[in-house]
Amino acid sequence: MIQKQITTSLMLFLGVCLAVFGQEEGQDDIGTETVTVTKAYTPTISDAFKIKSVPLFNDSIALQKKDITYSINSVPVASTFTPAKGQASRVKKTPPPVLYNSYASAGGGNPANLMAKFYTSRTIDRESGFTLGLDHNSTRGDIDGVVLDNIYSDTELEAAYKKRDRDLDWGVDLGVQHQLYNWYGLPVGVFDEATVNAIDERQNYYMAEVSGHVNLEDSFFQNASLEYRRFWDAIKSGENRAVFKTGFEFPLNEESLGINAKVDYVNGSFENADVNNTANLNGINYSQFQVGINPSLTMFRDDLSLNLGVNLVYGLDTERSDSNFYIYPAVTASYRLLEEVAIVYGGVEGELRQNSYYGFVEDNPFVSPTLTIVPTDRQYDAYLGLRGQLLPNLSYNIKGSYTAENRRPLFTLNPQNTFRTDEKGYYYGNSFEVFYDDIKTIGIFGELNVDVNRNFSLGINAEVYDYDTETDNPAWNLPNLQGSLFLDYQIGEKWYMGANLFYVGEREDFATVAVENVEPSDFPATIITLDSFFDANAHVGHRLNDQLSVFVRAANIANNNYQRWANFPVQGFQILGGATYKFDF
């Protein structure tokens, strides 16, 4: 319809145009006429024509949609395929070692050497438990050139109970010990056979001790401990010692104030007089009491650690009613120069060291039961050192020191005193006394430790000393040079081995002969120079399984009958084999 209207309009427009052109062609001039427009042109827009209804189609070829119905016909298909589940790869773990709470070890060797050990650790509950240990070593001696009996035995039994709470732990320890030694160090070629056969050279030592401790965390009160020990021998010598220690700590901003206190009391008696006396008339009694307090201020500043303190001690000799008050320095410091590579450390410290019969026997079991017991006044020990790690598996430590001590104990041979008729034969120049001297010591110490890997470690150290004594005598039985080397090697999972070697330089002692009505300082004396010695020991073991292993130990491999103490040669080459069994008890 619209198309028809458009076509009609176009035809009319063309017709008008043709008529105009026809007039122009037929008339050259139709005249001039003036037209005046009196109204402006205002165009309008007609309303759009909209279809009011949707036209209907009546097409004969239009198709009607038909409804379609369909269904699925499932057909079962036989299949044996099963998809595999994916699993992440796992790192192979090394099974943790089986831990047992007990073990027993036993062995034997030449010359009639025996050893036995037993240890067990039992847990009572999550917070408490106890341990029990037994250790025995003995030998029948058989030292070349020794005419007296030289058997040796050492048996020790220890038990401990410990309990730990969240902020508190405490425990009790018990221990008993028996040691058997012989004064077998007779001077060679001095006494006849009849005199030698009449000597009773055996000595027995006994010890029993009990101690307790308590430690607290997050408290001004830090710890406390109390120890009591009874020590006696087969010749009616006896000693009691009690030591109480406690400590407090108070934080002060970035510093901390610590206060440690100590009470130390020792008393004892010897049935017999000093061997320098030709007559055994009176015994020896001793009693020493100490009270000390050690306040200190600890500061940490980046790489610097500083401890400023003082050690105040009151000492009382209750047997002689003599007392003294001592003031000792207690200053230590360390500074990291190059992280862990180089750490400088130093200090100046002093103490009133309590000496005891038990301590002297631990150092030299061949002392006579006729000793003078007094404390050592260690005025100061000034030292400066450098330590660190040159490599992750190589550490070192170098230290120089200067020490001043009054009444430092030195071991010297007792005189040959044939005027004595004591119960035991320790007065034939075959035992040692304690000689006190004032000594200033310059020392240099160095050590290297190498951990090649988890299975191999090696260490070596050496010490050099120079002694200046008040009496101008040598520092009796103190070496100027000593050193040691040790190594441990785990050979695979089954085999292991280790070795230790040590060297001790020359020492000096003197032998005297007692003379009636003569002062001991005027006894005829002979200087003895003890040769330096080198000793090597080694062991190897094989683990048969997780519980059973066997071992072999060798001592004094060089078979050198050196003298650790004058007139007391040691056993030669010794070898011992045994087994260790672990179990749950």
Side-chain angles (χ1 to χ4, degrees):
M1 194 99 182
I2 297 173
Q3 255 182 342
K4 289 181 180 182
Q5 290 179 353
I6 295 171
T7 303
T8 303
S9 301
L10 290 174
M11 291 180 65
L12 289 175
F13 177 75
L14 291 174
V16 172
C17 290
L18 289 173
V20 172
F21 287 125
Q23 288 180 353
E24 290 179 353
E25 292 178 356
Q27 297 178 350
D28 294 335
D29 185 13
I30 61 174
T32 301
E33 185 174 353
T34 301
V35 178
T36 302
V37 178
T38 59
K39 184 178 180 181
Y41 175 71
T42 56
T44 60
I45 299 175
S46 300
D47 293 336
F49 180 81
K50 297 181 179 180
I51 300 176
K52 302 298 183 182
S53 62
V54 178
L56 298 174
F57 293 94
N58 187 9
D59 194 343
S60 60
I61 64 175
L63 298 176
Q64 298 293 327
K65 293 182 180 180
K66 294 183 178 181
D67 296 334
I68 298 175
T69 59
Y70 58 90
S71 61
I72 297 174
N73 185 17
S74 300
V75 178
V77 178
S79 176
T80 59
F81 173 74
T82 302
K85 297 180 179 179
Q87 294 183 352
S89 299
R90 296 181 179 179
V91 178
K92 186 177 180 180
K93 297 181 179 180
T94 302
V98 180
L99 301 178
Y100 300 94
N101 64 12
S102 306
Y103 77 87
S105 182
N110 75 306
N113 292 343
L114 296 175
M115 64 82 57
K117 287 186 178 181
F118 171 78
Y119 175 84
T120 183
S121 175
R122 302 295 302 275
T123 300
I124 299 175
D125 52 38
R126 295 181 60 184
E127 299 177 342
S128 61
F130 70 90
T131 60
L132 181 67
L134 174 67
D135 191 358
H136 171 80
N137 288 279
S138 63
T139 177
R140 299 305 298 177
D142 194 21
I143 300 175
D144 292 340
V146 174
V147 295
L148 294 178
D149 197 358
N150 49 82
I151 66 174
Y152 154 79
S153 175
D154 185 1
T155 304
E156 187 172 6
L157 177 65
E158 295 180 334
Y161 171 82
K162 290 180 173 58
K163 182 176 179 62
R164 181 176 182 84
D165 296 327
R166 181 176 179 180
D167 299 321
L168 169 71
D169 72 86
W170 62 276
V172 178
D173 297 83
L174 302 172
V176 294
Q177 183 181 24
H178 169 250
Q179 296 173 289
L180 186 152
Y181 287 92
N182 289 272
W183 293 293
Y184 63 84
L186 281 180
V188 178
V190 175
F191 302 102
D192 57 27
E193 184 176 355
T195 302
V196 171
N197 292 334
I199 296 175
D200 183 0
E201 69 275 20
R202 182 167 298 186
Q203 170 68 300
N204 287 276
Y205 299 111
Y206 305 92
M207 187 273 294
E209 64 181 356
V210 58
S211 64
H213 70 271
V214 59
N215 300 309
L216 274 74
E217 296 181 4
D218 300 327
S219 172
F220 295 136
F221 172 70
Q222 293 289 300
N223 54 68
S225 65
L226 177 63
E227 178 183 4
Y228 170 75
R229 179 176 60 238
R230 171 66 179 175
F231 183 70
W232 70 102
D233 62 19
I235 317 175
K236 299 179 182 179
S237 306
E239 178 182 81
N240 301 289
R241 186 175 183 183
V243 181
F244 172 75
K245 298 178 182 179
T246 187
F248 299 84
E249 185 174 346
F250 305 92
L252 301 174
N253 295 326
E254 297 181 358
E255 291 79 29
S256 63
L257 174 64
I259 300 177
N260 296 319
K262 178 181 177 181
V263 179
D264 192 339
Y265 176 70
V266 61
N267 83 306
S269 63
F270 296 105
E271 184 75 10
N272 301 293
D274 192 318
V275 181
N276 288 282
N277 297 329
T278 55
N280 187 8
L281 299 177
N282 299 313
I284 302 172
N285 297 318
Y286 60 94
S287 180
Q288 302 290 338
F289 177 75
Q290 296 179 14
V291 178
I293 185 170
N294 170 220
S296 62
L297 181 65
T298 303
M299 296 181 290
F300 298 96
R301 295 290 187 275
D302 297 330
D303 295 327
L304 175 65
S305 173
L306 180 63
N307 189 328
L308 302 174
V310 63
N311 190 11
L312 309 174
V313 182
Y314 172 75
L316 173 64
D317 186 337
T318 59
E319 188 67 28
R320 299 176 178 82
S321 300
D322 183 22
S323 63
N324 284 286
F325 184 74
Y326 302 87
I327 301 177
Y328 299 105
V331 179
T332 60
S334 66
Y335 181 75
R336 296 178 184 271
L337 287 177
L338 298 172
E339 296 297 333
E340 299 297 328
V341 176
I343 301 174
V344 179
Y345 66 95
V348 182
E349 301 177 271
E351 65 173 331
L352 186 63
R353 178 176 296 173
Q354 189 80 284
N355 293 315
S356 65
Y357 184 31
Y358 173 79
F360 288 146
V361 169
E362 290 293 293
D363 293 336
N364 183 351
F366 307 111
V367 294
S368 63
T370 59
L371 306 179
T372 300
I373 308 293
V374 295
T376 296
D377 175 19
R378 193 171 196 179
Q379 295 178 312
Y380 57 85
D381 177 15
Y383 57 91
L384 180 65
L386 181 68
R387 65 172 184 264
Q389 286 187 291
L390 298 176
L391 298 171
N393 60 352
L394 175 62
S395 62
Y396 69 94
N397 185 14
I398 303 173
K399 182 178 73 171
S401 63
Y402 182 75
T403 307
E405 298 171 289
N406 294 332
R407 301 189 303 273
R408 176 170 178 174
L410 305 173
F411 295 109
T412 60
L413 276 172
N414 272 315
Q416 301 173 29
N417 192 340
T418 56
F419 304 99
R420 296 283 286 262
T421 58
D422 298 14
E423 178 184 355
K424 295 290 184 176
Y426 50 79
Y427 46 86
Y428 295 92
N430 58 335
S431 66
F432 293 84
E433 63 177 332
V434 175
F435 175 80
Y436 294 93
D437 203 347
D438 298 343
I439 303 178
K440 291 180 173 60
T441 307
I442 298 175
I444 299 175
F445 168 81
E447 67 175 348
L448 283 174
N449 291 289
V450 183
D451 294 322
V452 179
N453 51 44
R454 295 179 59 186
N455 298 326
F456 183 79
S457 61
L458 174 69
I460 184 172
N461 64 70
E463 298 173 87
V464 179
Y465 295 105
D466 180 69
Y467 305 101
D468 181 16
T469 63
E470 182 70 19
T471 59
D472 292 329
N473 293 320
W476 305 116
N477 278 297
L478 293 181
N480 293 101
L481 174 64
Q482 57 186 2
S484 63
L485 180 146
F486 70 89
L487 66 89
D488 286 298
Y489 183 32
Q490 179 70 42
I491 312 171
E493 296 182 358
K494 299 293 185 180
W495 290 90
Y496 61 91
M497 67 167 293
N500 62 79
L501 301 86
F502 58 90
Y503 171 85
V504 177
E506 292 184 349
R507 290 93 58 222
E508 292 181 289
D509 202 339
F510 65 97
T512 58
V513 178
V515 179
E516 284 189 306
N517 302 319
V518 174
E519 290 295 325
S521 58
D522 295 328
F523 289 169
T526 303
I527 298 294
I528 301 173
T529 299
L530 301 175
D531 293 335
S532 60
F533 63 87
F534 176 82
D535 200 340
N537 307 280
H539 67 271
V540 62
H542 177 66
R543 297 182 179 90
L544 300 175
N545 52 50
D546 290 340
Q547 292 182 268
L548 182 62
S549 62
V550 294
F551 60 86
V552 176
R553 300 174 183 172
N556 197 1
I557 297 175
N559 194 28
N560 181 14
N561 290 103
Y562 60 84
Q563 295 185 22
R564 175 63 184 88
W565 304 101
N567 299 334
F568 283 83
V570 301
Q571 290 183 354
F573 175 71
Q574 306 157 56
I575 189 166
L576 180 144
T580 300
Y581 182 70
K582 302 177 184 178
F583 58 96
D584 283 325
F585 179 69

